[in-house]
Amino acid sequence: MKLAAGNPACTRDEDAIGTPPATPTLVPAERYYSAEFAALETERLWPKVWQIACMADHVAKPGDYFEYRCGPYGVLIVHGDDGVLRAFQNVCRHRGNSICAGSGSGLRELKCGYHGWTWDLAGALKRVPNRKGFGSLHMSDFPLLAARVEVWEGMVFVNLDLDAMPLIEYLEAVPDDIAWCRLSEFRCYATLTVEVEANWKTIADGYSETYHIQTLHPELLRCVDDIHAPQQIWGHTGKSDQPYGVQSPRFDGALSDEEVWDAYVYTQGALMGAAEGTPFPTGQPEQTVADLIATRTREFAATRGVDLGWADTDRITRLHQYNVFPNMTFLANADHLTIMCSRPGPDPDHGEMVMFLMTRLPPGAPRNKPSDMRMSAADAEPGVVLTQDIRVLPGLQRGLHQPGFTHLVLSGEERRVINMHRNLERYLGLTESERMSGGCAPERA
């Protein structure tokens, strides 16, 4: 029996469902469109959780800054001239104007563009025009409002709650479980923000289960084992392992190796530098399709100066998907890292899907500031599979509104969706009558 890479507790023989619950879990549908529920999230959730804001390369030098927005909240991340990375609520202490927007470099001070109140990069108020008019105004009483900021593996996280637990504790078992992947060797070359007609939870649910692969992603089904994809829940976090380069057991072995290869090239070929139509390698009868994919991936990495000699076939072809409450997921294998998150939009029926696109680079490679792109869902085509995920979201959101549809009906395979709601209930302080029903007791590692 072969152990799953990065998760010795799980085996290839486990399926994604595990032991089925006694009954389905029922989640009130109004959570996905209710203005009152969204207001409760704004009050009790978003100011209290760690969120990935940007990459360290966005704010690598003194004077670099980046504004992170989540719903009505704005956090300004600033690299001080003393070399310290700080985060502030993006608000002038005078009349509430936002101080900076977007991102940039060469900042020497933080000046409100409305009335000119000015702070240094450490957040200390240093200039107030016409100060006499305020009477006895003590500059030290009005620093910028601080927020928490921490960096993990080149990713910058923020939290508006100054009393929040340290990020490393919030991430629970994830750092140890993913350590083999050497995340620090990856660099973000771009971020893509897609404006979607769907609630942030509708977006997040799509990367929290594999149940939809058999229907929404028929091409992907031909090259991924969606059945033996074991899952684990730790608390704020959870994970799933998905073996690629093999056909789904749903085909009962009917596909040829060539068909599995062609499906992988079509859906994932960019990960190994293979264009659509790249022929199946011949003359290597002792290698599985997964072995051939791993070999091609090592060769592609070598063209970038990256040595993947340390990674066996399983490390290269098994996708480890980590969910971090409330809205983040990390998709990782030996030569692939994509970070995805969802954020609330202007109303409960709109949200944003944000992708951090990464590549592994050799030691000593130059660091560059990522390019940040934003587009509508109609214009976004980030690959076959993700495009299918994006296209289904508006219909999902509309369906949730239908008067006869009162609850989502979730299975044991959808346990990471259930776990998100379980944590959401805790943060929002919902009463027993407002919580999910059915299912089974909370799963823990």
Side-chain angles (χ1 to χ4, degrees), residues 68-386:
Y68 172 71
R69 293 185 187 179
C70 180
Y73 301 113
V75 178
L76 190 59
I77 303 158
V78 180
H79 191 137
D81 44 25
D82 58 358
V84 176
L85 198 65
R86 296 180 177 88
F88 307 103
Q89 295 183 36
N90 191 10
V91 58
C92 174
R93 297 296 303 275
H94 172 222
R95 290 266 293 278
N97 185 43
S98 297
I99 297 174
C100 288
S103 62
S105 303
L107 204 65
R108 294 179 178 272
E109 60 186 13
L110 295 161
K111 181 179 180 180
C112 176
Y114 196 8
H115 296 95
W117 282 39
T118 305
W119 289 261
D120 65 23
L121 299 188
L125 182 61
K126 67 177 190 177
R127 188 166 60 251
V128 174
N130 302 328
R131 181 178 170 188
K132 285 183 180 180
F134 292 92
S136 180
L137 183 149
H138 300 287
M139 306 287 272
S140 60
D141 289 342
F142 298 96
L144 291 178
L145 301 171
R148 291 282 296 274
V149 59
E150 295 191 28
V151 179
W152 175 65
E153 297 289 8
M155 309 168 216
V156 179
F157 290 77
V158 294
N159 195 321
L160 287 168
D161 183 5
L162 295 178
D163 297 321
M165 70 174 71
L167 174 64
I168 200 69
E169 293 181 20
Y170 191 87
L171 294 174
E172 298 176 327
V174 172
D176 287 340
D177 199 84
I178 203 173
W180 66 272
C181 198
R182 308 180 187 183
L183 295 184
S184 62
E185 296 178 8
F186 284 94
R187 297 287 184 271
C188 179
Y189 60 88
T191 72
L192 174 61
T193 299
V194 181
E195 299 167 352
V196 180
E197 294 180 2
N199 186 268
W200 71 269
K201 294 183 291 295
T202 307
I203 300 169
D205 289 354
Y207 50 69
S208 299
E209 47 89 1
T210 57
Y211 184 40
H212 69 279
I213 290 178
Q214 59 185 309
T215 305
L216 186 62
H217 305 310
E219 303 91 347
L220 185 64
L221 190 70
R222 302 167 74 86
C223 62
V224 63
D225 186 344
D226 62 321
I227 299 294
H228 303 106
Q231 301 183 71
Q232 188 166 1
I233 301 296
W234 291 302
H236 281 103
T237 60
K239 74 168 293 190
S240 170
D241 294 340
Q242 300 150 26
Y244 278 71
V246 293
Q247 61 187 282
S248 169
R250 300 179 194 278
F251 288 105
D252 198 24
L255 300 182
S256 67
D257 286 350
E258 289 86 349
E259 289 174 307
V260 175
W261 169 269
D262 289 344
Y264 188 88
V265 168
Y266 180 63
T267 60
Q268 314 285 311
L271 301 181
M272 58 178 184
E276 184 178 349
T278 298
F280 178 69
T282 58
Q284 304 173 68
E286 295 183 0
Q287 286 193 301
T288 65
V289 177
D291 289 332
L292 295 172
I293 290 171
T295 297
R296 177 68 182 249
T297 302
R298 291 190 196 96
E299 293 171 351
F300 178 54
T303 65
R304 309 191 309 272
V306 173
D307 181 8
L308 287 183
W310 56 271
D312 63 12
T313 292
D314 193 72
R315 294 291 200 202
I316 293 174
T317 59
R318 179 183 294 270
L319 185 68
H320 300 259
Q321 182 166 354
Y322 296 86
N323 291 79
V324 179
F325 179 79
N327 60 340
M328 294 172 277
T329 193
F330 301 85
L331 305 169
N333 64 29
D335 199 38
H336 175 215
L337 177 63
T338 299
I339 306 165
M340 300 179 62
C341 61
S342 60
R343 298 171 187 161
D347 60 62
D349 287 318
H350 291 82
E352 297 177 346
M353 174 186 286
V354 185
M355 287 167 267
F356 294 81
L357 309 176
M358 319 283 283
T359 188
R360 189 186 291 279
L361 294 179
R367 305 182 72 103
N368 298 303
K369 187 171 292 190
S371 300
D372 299 313
M373 301 174 287
R374 173 180 287 269
M375 62 185 62
S376 68
D379 295 328
E381 294 188 1
V384 175
V385 176
L386 284 174

Side-chain angles (χ1 to χ4, degrees), residues 9-66:
C10 295
T11 71
R12 286 291 294 270
D13 292 335
E14 293 184 77
D15 64 32
I17 296 174
T19 302
T23 61
T25 297
L26 304 181
V27 179
E30 66 178 0
R31 294 185 180 184
Y32 288 78
Y33 59 81
S34 163
E36 291 77 16
F37 197 86
L40 202 59
E41 292 174 339
T42 298
E43 175 190 353
R44 301 181 183 178
L45 174 68
W46 297 115
K48 298 290 184 180
V49 292
W50 284 102
Q51 301 167 62
I52 183 169
C54 63
M55 306 303 296
D57 286 340
H58 279 106
V59 284
K61 300 176 182 178
D64 287 352
Y65 66 94
F66 187 96

